[in-house]
Amino acid sequence: AQSVTQLDSHVSVSEGTPVLLRCNYSSSYSPSLFWYVQHPNKGLQLLLKYTSAATLVKGINGFEAEFKKSETSFHLTKPSAHMSDAAEYFCVVSDHNDYKLSFGAGTTVTVRA
Amino acid sequence: GAGVSQTPSNKVTEKGKYVELRCDPISGHTALYWYRQSLGQGPEFLIYFQGTGAADDSGLPNDRFFAVRPEGSVSTLKIQRTERGDSAVYLCASSSKGGRADEQFFGPGTRLTVL
């Protein structure tokens, strides 16, 4: 069975500074890994996904994540935070040939002006 | 184009009542999923449809929960004898085929409150 642990429940950054959201995963097989963002009163939106191709994955809105098998991590970063990045972020894993998504508990990002 | 829509956006009911939650997937998507998101947690898988059939209902918590997708498009999640613990946001998602890493597009959810 697969699972993810998001190491920070809340991250606060200043506008223009880097953002780091940490995620560790557990999976029995070659996992697919995703980051989703959820803005208030809006649906979950896919930021990026890893599916065993390049380990550095670029997503929308300047986000990227690096898959590190040795560390079982899939941390999300952005070099410069924008006010519009304030939202809830979920790290998600699915096992090989599995359609079921397993979500982490989420990280709330606050951006200070 | 239109995304996944869910109705109602909010539903308040009393303990013991029956509720139905509706999901309209993206047109042409054969795969449909239901998840439940309790307060302060990530969504949890409930059920997966491929076409009209429930391919995997292993996430349904008990037999009070049932879902249908009779024509392979719209789906309805049905909850009988609601309990206060059923209060959550119910999310629907659809994807084009349902395979590994197939992007799932989520609706805005239905917030269910059981008094």
Side-chain angles (χ1 to χ4, degrees), chain A residues 36-62:
Chain A
Y36 276 83
V37 62
Q38 187 175 40
H39 287 93
N41 300 318
K42 293 193 175 179
L44 287 157
Q45 181 184 19
L46 180 67
L47 279 178
L48 49 80
K49 66 180 180 183
Y50 165 79
T51 56
S52 77
T55 56
L56 183 62
V57 182
K58 293 190 184 297
I60 61 172
N61 300 336

Side-chain angles (χ1 to χ4, degrees), chain A residues 2-4 32-36 44 46 49 90-95 98-104, chain B residues 33-36 42-48 56 93-95 99-106:
Chain A
Q2 67 269 30
S3 66
V4 291
S32 293
L33 290 157
F34 312 79
W35 277 96
Y36 276 83
L44 287 157
L46 180 67
K49 66 180 180 183
F90 292 97
C91 182
V92 184
V93 65
S94 70
D95 267 337
D98 198 349
Y99 42 79
K100 276 187 278 191
L101 302 181
S102 294
F103 286 75
Chain B
Y33 316 79
W34 283 97
Y35 292 82
R36 179 168 71 172
E44 295 178 305
F45 170 82
L46 295 178
I47 187 169
Y48 159 56
D56 183 347
S94 69
S95 68
R100 180 191 181 208
D102 195 25
E103 181 178 351
Q104 296 184 23
F105 295 85
F106 284 81

Side-chain angles (χ1 to χ4, degrees), chain A residues 64-85:
Chain A
E64 64 181 36
E66 186 171 9
F67 173 72
K68 291 187 177 180
K69 186 174 181 179
S70 61
E71 299 177 8
T72 61
S73 70
F74 190 58
H75 302 335
L76 180 71
T77 59
K78 182 173 180 177
S80 176
H82 191 272
M83 297 298 288
S84 61
D85 294 328

Side-chain angles (χ1 to χ4, degrees), chain B residues 71-91:
Chain B
E71 296 177 359
S73 179
V74 170
S75 176
T76 305
L77 178 65
K78 308 180 181 196
I79 311 174
Q80 298 177 321
R81 304 182 304 280
T82 52
E83 300 178 356
R84 292 194 179 87
D86 298 335
S87 296
V89 176
Y90 289 81
L91 298 169

